Amino acid sequence: MSILRFAAVKESLSRSTFVVKEEGSRSKNFGSNVFNKERMLQFLTKDALVSVEAAVFSGAKIDRKIADQVAEGIKAWAISMGATHYTHWFQPLTGATAEKHDAFFDILPDGRALEKFGGGQLVQQEPDASSFPSGGIRNTFEARGYTAWDPTSPAFIYDKTLCIPTIFVAYTGEALDNKAPLLRALSAVDEAATAVAKYFDKNVTKVNATLGWEQEYFLVDKALAYSRPDIVLTGRTLVGHSAAKGQQLDDHYFGVIPNRVLNFMKELEIECTKLGIPVKTRHNEVAPNQFELAPVFEEANLAVDHNLLLMDVMDKVAEKHNFKVLFHEKPFAQINGSGKHNNWSLATDTGTNLLSPGTTPMKNLQFLTFFINTIKAVDNYEELLRSSIASASNDHRLGANEAPPAIFSIFIGKQLSSVLDELEGVSKGKLSPEEKTELKLNVVGKIPEILLDNTDRNRTSPFAFTGNKFEMRGVGSKTNCAKPMTVLNTIVAKQLIAFKKEVDELIEKKSLKKDEAVFNVLREYIKTSKRIRFEGDGYSQDWEKEAKKRKLSNNKTTPEALQVLTTKKSLDLFESMGVMSGVEVKARQEVELESYIMHLQIEGRVLNEMVYGHIIPSALAYQSKLVKVVTGLKEIYETSYKEFSKAQLTIIEQISEHINSIKSITDAMTLARKDANTLEELNEKAIAYCNKVKPYFNEIRYNSDKLEQLVDNELWPLTKYRELLFIK
């Protein structure tokens, strides 16, 4: 082991693994740092409380005078909790969160100080927007941007700072963030789903999209992580030979959680509880050092905010426990990467999960309506859904036999497939009394029984129905859930609007009863969306061939996947639903392409530095030692020295071969990167990085990993997988 790695390991093992003290019951402390309904009742006037609740429920605007009252109440609460600053907490197109802190402080003309925070500061701020990605919406020198309060996501206190969730828009009004389009999509699906839900329950006045994410992540000892330039700068290991023991024994999955990790998890859960993040499940994942946590389902906007906040909190808590969290989708080669499954459903304000079968045929018809419409929506826009999870890091994971393939399909299980097949065979038009009875009692009525024992799961499916929700499994571990949730809710809203229009036309023009009209439309949807349903192995080559016959997209790389954003079909979708303008959609495509290019550019530069600064020098140093050994043997044995130095000479030759290869490949990669950088058109540049630069990465890795096996362990400068992957 090198001196640098030994020092890092020694530092790690010498640290005390402190035990986290539980701070009371989780239920008692839940949301203690959140300005929730309980705090509103304490600190807001009646008018302010009514106004905020109206904004949350129906999107009503809050009068500026009322905003002053709300601000005064929030300030009083925050200061009573020890807060000294406030910030608008927003989600720029970087994929992370952003904040600018201001103190509750101002100076009067006479020099006296006062605590200041009014409606103006609550509702709107003007952060410098010049350095955030905008996709060409505004020039770099046009710095003005605005953050605007989102009252549907409650303010919270973190590290003595009052954090106010906000949207982020340009001076000209276009969204510069991920939250604003999500809120518009959620509003669209609320309106469309409510209209359809009223077919079955007139009391429904609102439908919320719900989201339950599952966050996978790796923990690495902090000292060891910071000994690796690639982990520090790219979030993953660009080189590194696999350890003799990885995940092949399946002994880590659901195994006993290591003490250090458990202490980290306990403190993380305490902090999450205070912030109202309802984390519930924790366990070891498949790969060594890989773990997962999952919360109780929440309204989608709040769930997205909580996931982003969680990742920030995880970083800070991990620091205290001498860990580094890796959210990269593929931080280590040859073992599973990390995802963030998005479990999605729709829930009414009357307490009904629209994707959960009920106790009566009518409730099951409601279930089938939303179930089949979701399938139809995904069939119509499968390529757009794929684009929503595209990134340089997620490209390593999708289709790697550890996550869903890049081909979007839907798994619903054999039992539900047979139900849809039966419905497809129902005669078109008016139903006889006998047909109605047969359909409702013997087909629709049996759905709860079918699902009761339906434990089928297909881990190769990108979009699977799992009993009372759909699980979107291809979302990357560091992806902002707002992106796939914006697309999914928009396409479902669009589909539900089309469905209601068709049903109403059948009722009015064909004089069909509501149930008959619904069945007729659903029957056609089952037929026309059949290609998206697949029950088999999504990893197989046969499926890839079959998917091509079905004309399903197979965009394996991010540059391919992002092209769909600016097709007429996609632009019409977002504009017609009021979710994004054409300018906003094109801007996001540009930002995503730029991000892809920058990530590969950084990885290429880091590889260059590692090859010339670490790998080649250490290989040469060891080769030099071997040459001295051979020279010594030659002095002793003279002409017969070759017989006694066969192994040394072989290793010297192998090292030379790999040094020559890694140097020439790295130089070629650098030239390819320079050529790509001369391209001005973003899509061409991204494709060049994808097809002409990135392929060199694996070749460099191959030669580096071979050298790692050949070079003396004490001389190898990079912390190895066997040291990184097993927490003690």
Side-chain angles (χ1 to χ4, degrees), residues 235-444:
R236 75 180 182 108
T237 55
L238 299 175
V239 298
H241 196 278
S242 57
K245 179 183 182 296
Q247 67 185 49
Q248 62 265 49
L249 296 178
D250 297 323
D251 54 340
H252 187 69
Y253 192 49
F254 281 22
V256 176
I257 300 171
N259 283 337
R260 281 185 68 195
V261 176
L262 192 57
N263 285 329
F264 157 77
M265 289 178 169
K266 286 177 180 177
E267 183 163 358
L268 175 63
E269 288 172 356
I270 289 170
E271 293 302 320
C272 287
T273 296
K274 294 175 184 175
L275 292 166
I277 306 172
V279 292
K280 184 177 178 66
T281 303
R282 65 189 184 200
H283 64 83
N284 290 4
E285 254 300 334
V286 175
N289 280 22
Q290 188 185 35
F291 307 94
E292 179 181 304
L293 62 79
V296 177
F297 278 55
E298 297 181 283
E299 184 275 326
N301 177 47
L302 185 58
V304 168
D305 283 1
H306 278 166
N307 182 249
L308 291 169
L309 178 57
L310 170 92
M311 292 194 285
D312 291 341
V313 175
M314 286 177 76
D315 280 332
K316 292 183 180 180
V317 174
E319 183 81 13
K320 291 173 63 177
H321 289 259
N322 297 303
F323 285 126
K324 182 172 176 60
V325 184
L326 301 183
F327 291 114
H328 194 287
E329 282 79 1
K330 191 73 172 179
F332 301 101
Q334 306 302 318
I335 64 173
N336 281 12
S338 298
K340 179 152 53 190
H341 301 174
N342 278 205
N343 296 281
W344 171 89
S345 191
L346 295 170
T348 70
D349 58 340
T350 58
T352 299
N353 178 353
L354 295 172
L355 286 174
S356 181
T359 55
T360 66
M362 178 57 72
K363 288 184 178 179
N364 291 331
L365 180 56
Q366 175 180 265
F367 157 72
L368 284 171
T369 295
F370 286 93
F371 177 69
I372 294 168
N373 271 282
T374 301
I375 293 172
K376 179 66 173 171
V378 174
D379 178 61
N380 287 341
Y381 292 98
E382 45 87 17
E383 195 171 9
L384 190 59
L385 267 182
R386 163 66 182 99
S387 75
S388 72
I389 58 173
S391 69
S393 52
N394 210 20
D395 280 358
H396 292 284
R397 177 175 160 266
L398 295 179
N401 287 7
E402 65 187 53
I407 304 166
F408 252 77
S409 64
I410 296 178
F411 170 84
I412 63 173
K414 292 180 181 178
Q415 293 89 339
L416 276 174
S417 290
S418 66
V419 170
L420 297 195
D421 290 343
E422 286 191 63
L423 287 175
E424 185 184 346
V426 173
S427 60
K428 195 174 181 181
K430 290 188 177 182
L431 301 174
S432 68
E434 292 78 14
E435 286 175 319
K436 284 184 181 179
T437 301
E438 171 70 19
L439 187 61
K440 287 187 176 182
L441 295 181
N442 297 332
V443 179
V444 180

Side-chain angles (χ1 to χ4, degrees), residues 196 199-200 362 364-366 368-370 372-373 423 429 431 439 499-500 502-504 506-507 512-526:
V196 173
Y199 282 148
F200 310 99
M362 178 57 72
N364 291 331
L365 180 56
Q366 175 180 265
L368 284 171
T369 295
F370 286 93
I372 294 168
N373 271 282
L423 287 175
L431 301 174
L439 187 61
F499 170 77
K500 187 174 187 304
E502 289 185 58
V503 170
D504 288 348
L506 287 178
I507 293 171
L512 294 182
K513 290 185 177 180
K514 180 189 66 181
D515 290 2
E516 291 173 328
V518 168
F519 276 126
N520 272 272
V521 176
L522 292 181
R523 175 180 175 275
E524 291 304 309
Y525 287 176
I526 293 168

